[in-house]
mmCIF file of all heavy atoms in Angstrom:
data_model
loop_
_atom_site.group_PDB
_atom_site.id
_atom_site.type_symbol
_atom_site.label_atom_id
_atom_site.label_comp_id
_atom_site.label_asym_id
_atom_site.label_seq_id
_atom_site.Cartn_x
_atom_site.Cartn_y
_atom_site.Cartn_z
ATOM 1 N N PRO A 197 38.517 -42.258 -205.373
ATOM 2 C CA PRO A 197 37.674 -42.259 -206.572
ATOM 3 C C PRO A 197 37.681 -43.611 -207.266
ATOM 4 O O PRO A 197 38.691 -44.319 -207.275
ATOM 5 C CB PRO A 197 38.321 -41.174 -207.452
ATOM 6 C CG PRO A 197 39.744 -41.123 -207.001
ATOM 7 C CD PRO A 197 39.735 -41.433 -205.533
ATOM 8 N N GLN A 198 36.556 -43.985 -207.850
ATOM 9 C CA GLN A 198 36.420 -45.254 -208.554
ATOM 10 C C GLN A 198 35.147 -45.225 -209.391
ATOM 11 O O GLN A 198 34.324 -44.321 -209.250
ATOM 12 C CB GLN A 198 36.370 -46.417 -207.564
ATOM 13 C CG GLN A 198 35.309 -46.273 -206.490
ATOM 14 C CD GLN A 198 35.705 -46.997 -205.218
ATOM 15 O OE1 GLN A 198 35.529 -48.211 -205.133
ATOM 16 N NE2 GLN A 198 36.241 -46.271 -204.239
ATOM 17 N N THR A 199 34.991 -46.212 -210.254
ATOM 18 C CA THR A 199 33.800 -46.332 -211.090
ATOM 19 C C THR A 199 33.044 -47.586 -210.663
ATOM 20 O O THR A 199 33.646 -48.645 -210.495
ATOM 21 C CB THR A 199 34.185 -46.422 -212.573
ATOM 22 O OG1 THR A 199 34.839 -45.210 -212.957
ATOM 23 C CG2 THR A 199 32.945 -46.602 -213.442
ATOM 24 N N VAL A 200 31.726 -47.451 -210.476
ATOM 25 C CA VAL A 200 30.917 -48.577 -210.012
ATOM 26 C C VAL A 200 29.793 -48.855 -210.993
ATOM 27 O O VAL A 200 29.283 -47.954 -211.657
ATOM 28 C CB VAL A 200 30.328 -48.303 -208.614
ATOM 29 C CG1 VAL A 200 31.435 -48.170 -207.581
ATOM 30 C CG2 VAL A 200 29.447 -47.065 -208.604
ATOM 31 N N SER A 201 29.389 -50.112 -211.070
ATOM 32 C CA SER A 201 28.260 -50.508 -211.910
ATOM 33 C C SER A 201 27.647 -51.768 -211.324
ATOM 34 O O SER A 201 28.255 -52.437 -210.479
ATOM 35 C CB SER A 201 28.707 -50.754 -213.356
ATOM 36 O OG SER A 201 29.632 -51.836 -213.422
ATOM 37 N N GLY A 202 26.426 -52.101 -211.772
ATOM 38 C CA GLY A 202 25.781 -53.326 -211.333
ATOM 39 C C GLY A 202 25.616 -53.393 -209.827
ATOM 40 O O GLY A 202 25.179 -52.448 -209.170
ATOM 41 N N GLN A 203 25.978 -54.551 -209.255
ATOM 42 C CA GLN A 203 25.859 -54.765 -207.811
ATOM 43 C C GLN A 203 26.633 -53.721 -207.011
ATOM 44 O O GLN A 203 26.165 -53.221 -205.975
ATOM 45 C CB GLN A 203 26.365 -56.162 -207.457
ATOM 46 C CG GLN A 203 26.426 -56.445 -205.951
ATOM 47 C CD GLN A 203 25.065 -56.644 -205.333
ATOM 48 O OE1 GLN A 203 24.388 -57.607 -205.665
ATOM 49 N NE2 GLN A 203 24.665 -55.766 -204.431
ATOM 50 N N ARG A 204 27.815 -53.354 -207.489
ATOM 51 C CA ARG A 204 28.632 -52.389 -206.745
ATOM 52 C C ARG A 204 27.985 -51.000 -206.740
ATOM 53 O O ARG A 204 28.065 -50.280 -205.742
ATOM 54 C CB ARG A 204 30.040 -52.313 -207.345
ATOM 55 C CG ARG A 204 30.878 -53.524 -207.006
ATOM 56 C CD ARG A 204 32.263 -53.476 -207.624
ATOM 57 N NE ARG A 204 33.028 -52.298 -207.204
ATOM 58 C CZ ARG A 204 33.629 -52.193 -206.018
ATOM 59 N NH1 ARG A 204 33.549 -53.179 -205.141
ATOM 60 N NH2 ARG A 204 34.325 -51.123 -205.720
ATOM 61 N N ALA A 205 27.335 -50.628 -207.818
ATOM 62 C CA ALA A 205 26.630 -49.351 -207.839
ATOM 63 C C ALA A 205 25.471 -49.377 -206.846
ATOM 64 O O ALA A 205 25.223 -48.405 -206.125
ATOM 65 C CB ALA A 205 26.114 -49.048 -209.246
ATOM 66 N N LEU A 206 24.764 -50.499 -206.806
ATOM 67 C CA LEU A 206 23.655 -50.640 -205.867
ATOM 68 C C LEU A 206 24.154 -50.571 -204.429
ATOM 69 O O LEU A 206 23.570 -49.894 -203.583
ATOM 70 C CB LEU A 206 22.939 -51.964 -206.121
ATOM 71 C CG LEU A 206 21.703 -52.246 -205.269
ATOM 72 C CD1 LEU A 206 20.622 -51.219 -205.562
ATOM 73 C CD2 LEU A 206 21.190 -53.651 -205.549
ATOM 74 N N ASP A 207 25.256 -51.264 -204.138
ATOM 75 C CA ASP A 207 25.825 -51.218 -202.795
ATOM 76 C C ASP A 207 26.221 -49.787 -202.416
ATOM 77 O O ASP A 207 26.005 -49.352 -201.283
ATOM 78 C CB ASP A 207 27.060 -52.123 -202.709
ATOM 79 C CG ASP A 207 26.703 -53.608 -202.704
ATOM 80 O OD1 ASP A 207 25.534 -53.933 -202.451
ATOM 81 O OD2 ASP A 207 27.604 -54.427 -202.965
ATOM 82 N N TYR A 208 26.780 -49.068 -203.375
ATOM 83 C CA TYR A 208 27.230 -47.705 -203.085
ATOM 84 C C TYR A 208 26.065 -46.801 -202.675
ATOM 85 O O TYR A 208 26.147 -46.094 -201.673
ATOM 86 C CB TYR A 208 27.939 -47.118 -204.309
ATOM 87 C CG TYR A 208 28.272 -45.652 -204.132
ATOM 88 C CD1 TYR A 208 29.367 -45.254 -203.384
ATOM 89 C CD2 TYR A 208 27.464 -44.661 -204.687
ATOM 90 C CE1 TYR A 208 29.662 -43.912 -203.187
ATOM 91 C CE2 TYR A 208 27.739 -43.320 -204.498
ATOM 92 C CZ TYR A 208 28.840 -42.953 -203.747
ATOM 93 O OH TYR A 208 29.110 -41.620 -203.545
ATOM 94 N N VAL A 209 24.974 -46.808 -203.444
ATOM 95 C CA VAL A 209 23.881 -45.886 -203.132
ATOM 96 C C VAL A 209 23.101 -46.321 -201.896
ATOM 97 O O VAL A 209 22.347 -45.535 -201.322
ATOM 98 C CB VAL A 209 22.906 -45.714 -204.323
ATOM 99 C CG1 VAL A 209 23.625 -45.114 -205.514
ATOM 100 C CG2 VAL A 209 22.235 -47.034 -204.699
ATOM 101 N N ARG A 210 23.292 -47.571 -201.442
ATOM 102 C CA ARG A 210 22.558 -48.055 -200.282
ATOM 103 C C ARG A 210 23.387 -48.014 -199.002
ATOM 104 O O ARG A 210 22.880 -48.338 -197.925
ATOM 105 C CB ARG A 210 22.047 -49.481 -200.522
ATOM 106 C CG ARG A 210 21.077 -49.579 -201.701
ATOM 107 C CD ARG A 210 20.379 -50.919 -201.743
ATOM 108 N NE ARG A 210 19.381 -51.017 -200.683
ATOM 109 C CZ ARG A 210 19.462 -51.884 -199.667
ATOM 110 N NH1 ARG A 210 20.475 -52.693 -199.560
ATOM 111 N NH2 ARG A 210 18.512 -51.913 -198.748
#
Side-chain angles (χ1 to χ4, degrees):
Q198 54 208 279
T199 297
V200 296
S201 63
Q203 174 73 65
R204 286 179 59 78
L206 183 64
D207 287 343
Y208 173 79
V209 298
R210 298 192 73 245

